[in-house]
Amino acid sequence: MVPVSYYLILSAILFSIGVGAFLIKRNIITIFMSIELMLNAVNLSFVAFANYWNQINHQFSGQIFVFFVMVVAAAEAAVGLAIIIALFRTRKTLNVDQVDLMKL
Amino acid sequence: MHLVLFFIFGGFCVAGALNLLLQRHPINSALSLIVVMTSLAVLYLLLGAEFLAAVQVIVYSGAIMVLFTFVIMLLNAQREERTHGSRAAYILGFPGAAALFALLTFIFISNGKSLGFAVLGPDMVSTSQLSSVLFRDLLLPFEVTSVLILIAILGAVALARHHEPHKDESKTQGKER
């Protein structure tokens, strides 16, 4: 028996670490990985809430949401990494500080 | 038993995530992210989501992380260097993330009583239950995701293809007109 709130707190910990890594990392691949970490944290909270609703009225829509999030994350990873490869070909760098064409 | 498993794999999750944050080489971050995702699969199993646990291992720690490590090795990514722009991120990033964590944890703890307990065993959602919802009630969104994946494949191929400069310019100009 584990309180559902423990799972939610774990998901909050993972999400906060993901936000921190997203902000302080300078390598574009690592930034992308921290986005994946945040998606995983949200998935964990979805599954925890699905467990809670399944106990009350036998609904588990949260797990369906997680399935769709995984599909979108897979598509996003494929396209994002292709963009990173194209960026590296033109700029020869992975540092986000040197990719500031759209910065004011 | 459930509590012990939760703390072991939750600890693995947090340790892997912190290692992702602290390592400076992208390949170390990628490997620690694999640890996070695999232990999350165990946590899904503890919460009664057996199909999602399998999909988490196959899709996330299998396919997506292989793609990440492949790209890191293909681009020969080196250790990231500290730059001037990262100082503002340090000053704003850590307090912001800590404030977010404190807020979320406060909400979850104050509402923890009404959320109840996760018990191992009786609340297992089997794959057949999940698929009956997915293929009956949500058939249209499911089919739309297949279109999404098809478009993502086409986009990835179009973006990552190695262009020959002359041919490509004439092609894109023709498209724009």
Side-chain angles (χ1 to χ4, degrees), chain A residues 2 4 7 10 13 16 21 23 25-27 32 36 40 43 51-52 54-55 63-64 68 70 73 89 97, chain B residues 2 21 23 26 37 43-44 47 49 55-56 60 68 80 83 89 101 115-118 123 125 138 145 160 162:
Chain A
V2 178
V4 175
Y7 284 100
L10 177 64
I13 292 172
S16 311
L23 288 173
K25 286 288 182 183
R26 292 293 118 193
N27 188 316
F32 205 51
E36 295 290 329
N40 269 290
N43 278 353
N51 181 283
Y52 168 67
N54 193 20
Q55 285 176 31
Q63 298 198 7
I64 309 274
F68 285 118
M70 279 177 179
R89 268 205 197 116
D97 287 332
Chain B
H2 192 172
L21 182 63
Q23 292 286 342
M37 285 167 172
L43 292 178
Y44 288 174
L47 282 169
V55 170
Q56 173 85 8
Y60 260 122
F68 268 101
E80 61 178 335
T83 48
F101 167 66
L115 282 171
F117 293 88
D123 307 314
V125 176
L138 294 167
T145 54
H162 195 63

Side-chain angles (χ1 to χ4, degrees), chain A residues 5-6 10-11 16 24 40 59-60 62-63 73-74 78 83 86 94 103:
Chain A
S5 54
Y6 282 16
L10 177 64
S11 121
S16 311
I24 70 165
N40 269 290
Q59 285 205 322
F60 41 86
Q63 298 198 7
I83 290 174
L94 288 172
K103 218 174 181 178

Side-chain angles (χ1 to χ4, degrees), chain A residues 1-17 19-27 29-30 32-34 36-37 39-41 43-45 47-49 51-52 54-55 60 62-64 66-79 81-86 88-89 93-95 97-98, chain B residues 2-3 6 10 13-14 17-18 20-21 23 26 29-30 33 36-37 40 43-44 46-49 51-52 55-56 60 64 67-68 71-72 74-75 77-78 80-81 83 85-86 89 93-94 97 100-101 104 108-109 112 114-119 123 125 129-130 133-134 138 141-142 145 148-149 152 156 159-162:
Chain A
M1 293 233 301
V2 178
V4 175
S5 54
Y6 282 16
Y7 284 100
L8 296 174
I9 290 168
L10 177 64
S11 121
I13 292 172
L14 290 181
F15 191 86
S16 311
I17 293 174
V19 170
F22 179 82
L23 288 173
I24 70 165
K25 286 288 182 183
R26 292 293 118 193
N27 188 316
I29 298 176
T30 324
F32 205 51
M33 280 195 281
S34 54
E36 295 290 329
L37 181 64
L39 278 172
N40 269 290
N43 278 353
L44 180 63
S45 69
V47 176
F49 279 120
N51 181 283
Y52 168 67
N54 193 20
Q55 285 176 31
F60 41 86
Q63 298 198 7
I64 309 274
V66 174
F67 177 78
F68 285 118
V69 169
M70 279 177 179
V71 171
V72 172
E76 173 233 334
V79 176
L81 289 170
I83 290 174
I84 289 174
I85 290 175
F88 186 75
R89 268 205 197 116
T93 180
L94 288 172
N95 193 332
D97 287 332
Q98 292 169 27
Chain B
H2 192 172
L3 195 67
F6 171 78
C13 271
V14 175
L18 281 176
L20 184 149
L21 182 63
Q23 292 286 342
S29 299
L33 192 58
V36 175
M37 285 167 172
L40 271 178
L43 292 178
Y44 288 174
L46 291 179
L47 282 169
F51 176 71
L52 289 180
V55 170
Q56 173 85 8
Y60 260 122
I64 293 181
L67 205 60
F68 268 101
V71 167
I72 290 169
L74 180 73
L75 301 184
Q78 303 296 323
E80 61 178 335
E81 62 264 36
T83 48
S86 60
F94 277 121
L100 185 69
F101 167 66
L104 286 172
F108 291 145
I109 287 179
S114 59
L115 282 171
F117 293 88
V119 188
D123 307 314
V125 176
Q129 277 176 294
L130 200 68
V133 174
L134 196 60
L138 294 167
F142 181 76
T145 54
L148 176 78
I149 288 181
L159 281 170
R161 193 178 45 181
H162 195 63

Side-chain angles (χ1 to χ4, degrees), chain B residues 162-173:
Chain B
H162 195 63
H163 302 289
E164 288 166 36
H166 285 295
K167 261 187 190 173
D168 188 60
E169 263 181 41
S170 60
K171 245 186 208 172
T172 47
Q173 279 175 357

Side-chain angles (χ1 to χ4, degrees), chain B residues 27-137:
Chain B
I27 198 82
N28 295 342
S29 299
L31 292 177
S32 54
L33 192 58
I34 292 176
V35 172
V36 175
M37 285 167 172
T38 315
S39 32
L40 271 178
V42 179
L43 292 178
Y44 288 174
L45 210 54
L46 291 179
L47 282 169
E50 53 171 25
F51 176 71
L52 289 180
V55 170
Q56 173 85 8
V57 172
I58 294 169
V59 172
Y60 260 122
S61 43
I64 293 181
M65 290 320 294
V66 165
L67 205 60
F68 268 101
T69 45
F70 185 75
V71 167
I72 290 169
M73 289 175 178
L74 180 73
L75 301 184
N76 193 17
Q78 303 296 323
R79 291 168 63 90
E80 61 178 335
E81 62 264 36
R82 287 176 192 276
T83 48
H84 189 70
S86 60
R87 196 176 303 151
Y90 269 101
I91 295 167
L92 283 174
F94 277 121
L100 185 69
F101 167 66
L103 179 68
L104 286 172
T105 310
F106 171 71
I107 292 169
F108 291 145
I109 287 179
S110 57
N111 293 313
K113 282 262 165 53
S114 59
L115 282 171
F117 293 88
V119 188
L120 197 56
D123 307 314
M124 208 68 153
V125 176
S126 67
T127 309
S128 60
Q129 277 176 294
L130 200 68
S131 61
S132 71
V133 174
L134 196 60
F135 292 130
R136 204 172 288 153
D137 305 339

